[in-house]
Amino acid sequence: MKLLATLFLISLFTACNTNPRSEYLAIAENADNTETEINQEHPGKKLMENNCYVCHNPKTAEDAMIAPPMVAVKMHYISEETSKEEFIEAMVAWAKNPSEEKSKMPGAIKKFGLMPYQFYPEETIKQIADYMFDNDIEEPEWFDAHYKQMHGDRPQMKGRMGRGMGNGKGMGKNRDTNAQPSVKERGMQMAQSTKAELGKNLMGQIQKNGVIAALDFCNVQALPITDSMATVHKAHIKRVTDKPRNPQNKANAAELQYLENFKKQVVAGDEANPIVVDLGKETEFYYPIVTNSMCLKCHGTPGKELETLTLSKIQELYPMDKATGYGENEVRGIWSIRFEN
């Protein structure tokens, strides 16, 4: 089982997920030392989307998944008897040392392999687990039929307000599968399925040969895989940036403007929404690629997060590289997709 996304997937290929905004009630202390309820987005939501959804994305087709969806993780690790503290403790223990003995998902390990160790801070895991316990998690459209085929009826489990599986946002029935997706949904599906295909291939390289071999793989295969997915979707799909590693990923003037807009949103702490441009017969779709702490292993500061051996390999493969010096939660690039309406 791969509970969290591997470090290079996010830095190279990811775009943030677009689940509807969900909120939790936080307690704030005002000037009179009285407690007031305020609506805030739970920090674990963004952390889960940015860190986990490359491998565990609920928008990915079943045959393209490289790890179980997060709703499956929640179902296997939370029962009516599980406390939040127990769940968080289990998630932290798993992340620190993934092993078959600790896993409650032997079927997932058999299908996907054991998740590699991840270098995420313990606080990040705790925030994600806290959010998962108290909130309904979006499930793939195929998940209900898959679960019934493999396990039968769903179990009841704890969640926000004590609701069981099948109730609330993201845990119950999905929308009418016969409904036509909007252009925004089409754009996100193209970006996410392309990310999944890139991630599936890259994950294999990391597991078999390590990070340096993954850089070699990216150098040769990233653009061809992206082009092949563009053919599948009958669209034009690019990942572009103002600081390219590969010169072919340099953003044009219009893309640079959208990139700056996304940067301002992220800096302000706003939830970034896709930019959709109607061109009549065609649509242009843009969405940000945001860094996290793991991205800095190949996009951070040399001598700090970026190790000497990794930097040497990057300079060998990409002599014109500009894609370093990033911090956490910065927009590194955008998905730029054009398709027919």
Side-chain angles (χ1 to χ4, degrees):
M1 182 187 77
K2 305 183 184 71
L3 176 62
L4 301 173
T6 190
L7 62 95
F8 275 94
L9 297 178
I10 291 181
S11 63
L12 299 178
F13 302 131
T14 192
C16 298
N17 183 270
T18 54
N19 291 344
R21 176 182 294 269
S22 65
E23 296 180 334
Y24 77 115
L25 292 177
I27 303 298
E29 193 172 298
N30 62 22
D32 298 324
N33 294 321
T34 58
E35 290 184 335
T36 305
E37 288 188 339
I38 56 173
N39 287 328
Q40 294 181 353
E41 182 184 70
H42 192 300
K45 176 177 183 286
K46 278 261 186 237
L47 290 170
M48 182 177 69
E49 293 172 352
N50 290 345
N51 293 302
C52 305
Y53 273 13
V54 175
C55 292
H56 303 269
N57 199 318
K59 302 295 187 183
T60 303
E62 183 175 7
D63 59 359
M65 294 293 293
I66 57 176
M70 296 304 287
V71 64
V73 176
K74 180 172 182 176
M75 289 179 65
H76 283 82
Y77 277 80
I78 300 179
S79 70
E80 286 295 317
E81 292 74 37
T82 306
S83 69
K84 179 188 287 190
E85 292 73 20
E86 290 170 337
F87 176 65
I88 294 175
E89 183 179 348
M91 293 296 98
V92 171
W94 168 263
K96 286 184 175 181
N97 183 25
S99 66
E100 293 190 34
E101 293 75 20
K102 291 181 180 179
S103 175
K104 297 182 181 181
M105 303 180 70
I109 290 180
K110 183 178 180 180
K111 180 175 181 179
F112 301 111
L114 183 66
M115 168 186 138
Y117 170 68
Q118 306 295 318
F119 303 94
Y120 288 101
E122 183 172 317
E123 183 60 27
T124 295
I125 310 304
K126 288 182 177 180
Q127 291 279 15
I128 293 172
D130 186 271
Y131 173 78
M132 289 177 65
F133 188 91
D134 287 332
N135 293 272
D136 294 333
I137 308 300
E138 183 180 3
E139 66 182 62
E141 292 185 353
W142 48 264
F143 182 74
D144 187 62
H146 167 83
Y147 189 92
K148 289 181 179 178
Q149 180 183 5
M150 299 298 295
H151 307 287
D153 292 336
R154 294 184 174 198
Q156 292 292 310
M157 67 178 211
K158 291 180 179 179
R160 182 175 51 193
M161 298 171 61
R163 292 180 302 200
M165 294 293 296
N167 296 312
K169 181 173 60 180
M171 300 296 266
K173 295 182 180 180
N174 293 286
R175 65 179 176 83
D176 183 3
T177 55
N178 294 321
Q180 293 297 315
S182 66
V183 290
K184 182 170 71 173
E185 291 172 329
R186 288 176 63 194
M188 284 304 305
Q189 199 277 330
M190 291 176 191
Q192 290 163 349
S193 62
T194 303
K195 175 186 62 181
E197 187 66 23
L198 287 163
K200 180 172 63 176
N201 285 275
L202 184 60
M203 177 68 77
Q205 289 296 317
I206 292 174
Q207 290 179 325
K208 292 178 182 178
N209 304 308
V211 170
I212 300 300
L215 284 170
D216 283 317
F217 170 83
C218 294
N219 180 252
V220 176
Q221 294 295 332
L223 286 174
I225 290 175
T226 303
D227 290 342
S228 69
M229 291 302 294
T231 300
V232 168
H233 290 296
K234 299 180 180 179
H236 184 64
I237 301 175
K238 298 186 297 178
R239 291 173 298 117
V240 298
T241 178
D242 55 341
K243 295 171 59 177
R245 177 150 287 170
N246 186 329
Q248 295 184 62
N249 295 122
K250 184 177 181 179
N252 61 33
E255 292 164 343
L256 287 172
Q257 181 178 349
Y258 298 131
L259 181 65
E260 288 302 315
N261 289 340
F262 285 128
K263 286 183 179 181
K264 292 176 182 177
Q265 291 177 18
V266 171
V267 168
D270 298 332
E271 184 172 3
N273 291 308
I275 294 175
V276 178
V277 181
D278 186 356
L279 300 178
K281 294 183 178 181
E282 291 185 324
T283 291
E284 289 181 345
F285 173 91
Y286 303 95
Y287 203 72
I289 300 169
V290 180
T291 62
N292 67 16
S293 60
M294 295 301 99
C295 301
L296 307 188
K297 297 297 181 179
C298 66
H299 293 286
T301 302
K304 189 178 178 182
E305 304 93 354
L306 187 55
E307 296 182 357
T308 301
L309 184 60
T310 304
L311 179 61
S312 296
K313 189 63 177 181
I314 291 171
Q315 291 172 338
E316 174 190 336
L317 296 174
Y318 304 97
M320 301 175 66
D321 175 54
K322 297 180 180 179
T324 60
Y326 286 97
E328 192 173 352
N329 295 320
E330 294 184 1
V331 176
R332 196 185 72 79
I334 60 173
W335 288 96
S336 176
I337 301 175
R338 187 177 71 250
F339 55 90
E340 292 184 359
N341 294 329

